[in-house]
Amino acid sequence: MAADPKKARAEVRRVQAGFERAQDRRDKAAVVRREGFERARQAGLSIREIAREAGLHHSRVAEILEGK
């Protein structure tokens, strides 16, 4: 069966658009998570306490709070 370049181009556009939508959702979720961690810090929780609640290593929580 011969490949159809028109369909292939349309598929590339479709999958790229889906990837970009997923990346946008991921970026927004990361912001929401960082803001939640910041609120927890302001409420008096330590980085280790936040890490324990989130199921993450404390060094990762510190990175997230630093915006990394």
Side-chain angles (χ1 to χ4, degrees):
M1 180 173 165
D4 182 348
K6 184 176 179 180
K7 287 182 181 180
R9 284 191 290 274
E11 181 180 12
V12 167
R13 288 190 302 270
R14 180 183 60 76
V15 298
Q16 180 62 25
F19 176 83
E20 290 172 3
R21 284 190 303 273
Q23 187 65 44
D24 187 49
R25 287 190 304 270
R26 183 179 183 271
D27 292 346
K28 288 176 183 175
V31 169
V32 169
R33 177 175 68 171
R34 187 177 64 251
E35 290 171 348
F37 287 7
E38 288 171 357
R39 284 191 298 275
R41 282 291 280 166
Q42 291 170 358
L45 272 67
S46 70
I47 289 175
R48 288 180 186 271
E49 289 172 316
I50 296 168
R52 191 170 29 256
E53 294 302 320
L56 298 172
H57 193 272
H58 64 90
S59 63
R60 181 63 187 127
V61 171
E63 290 175 345
I64 291 165
L65 287 168
E66 293 170 6
K68 295 180 182 177

